[in-house]
Amino acid sequence: YRTYMTASLSPMGTQQRPLSYAPSSLSKREKVVYGFLPYWTIKTAQIPQELTTIAYFSLSLGRNGSFIVQQNGERDLGWYTFSSSSSIETLRTLVKNQKQKLDIVITMMDADDISAFLLNPKAQETAIVNIKTLIKTQPINGINIDIEYAGVVTPALRAQFSSFIRSLSKELKRLDSSIQLSVDVFADAATKERIWDIPALAQSVDYIVVMAYDFFRSSSIQSGPVAPLFGSEKNRWDTDIAKNLK
């Protein structure tokens, strides 16, 4: 069982080669050096000054569009740490002193929940309202959407995800044009039929965060690096980060 509530919170090779020759919307402005900060590391994590943005991971979104605050009688620790812990205030102070930005990662990982959410316009409206309330009540700089659908995606579901991000982007820009919106995608999102329609999303978000890892896992039939920059051109493995980003 899950308990939900809205976002009413009280005051987070040696030869160098280019990864991609594609033009970048960030090429004429400051580069983003993005660092995810899981809630369970917030008390001990060292925050490098080289990072431009710290992304608090995470607040979980339910299929009805509300943030999950309790599951199976236990409080959701991502929500609790963000809304009740003194650690988040310490993080805000550090981020401010180091002239960095603070984003909030909003997650949904269950395939059934994602399908139900994306096929329910009312749930999407609720989510947008809650995210806007979060921005109004919290000193944050951006929203990062981490909705990971790992199954076989239908064209309708893919279109609905793009539509949701487009609607969210419009509402956030109307609320506060300084708030940045980003979306996390798998490294192969540009080459496989995933839930992320990259050209469509590029029209709505400020930037896309590529989760360029987990190419090989303990369950893989072949051993290899977790995040290979190159190697596929020499048939060391089927694909790599550079190949997916081109």
Side-chain angles (χ1 to χ4, degrees), residues 12 52-54 95-96 99-104 135 138-144 173 176-181 206-207:
M12 200 241 105
T52 61
T53 306
I54 313 301
V95 167
K96 181 179 180 180
K99 295 180 172 54
Q100 296 166 317
K101 295 180 179 180
L102 179 62
D103 282 10
I104 301 301
I135 293 169
Q138 300 295 312
I140 59 178
N141 303 107
I143 296 294
N144 173 265
K173 295 306 179 186
D176 184 345
S177 61
S178 70
I179 295 293
Q180 294 202 315
L181 176 64
D206 293 286
Y207 47 88

Side-chain angles (χ1 to χ4, degrees), residues 9-10 75 77-89:
L9 300 176
S10 58
R75 62 192 180 190
L77 293 180
W79 175 274
Y80 173 78
T81 302
F82 181 76
S83 61
S84 305
S85 171
S86 60
S87 299
I88 195 70
E89 295 303 327

Side-chain angles (χ1 to χ4, degrees), residues 43-57:
K43 292 184 179 180
T44 58
Q46 301 295 313
I47 309 297
Q49 294 187 16
E50 290 77 11
L51 295 176
T52 61
T53 306
I54 313 301
Y56 174 83
F57 185 94

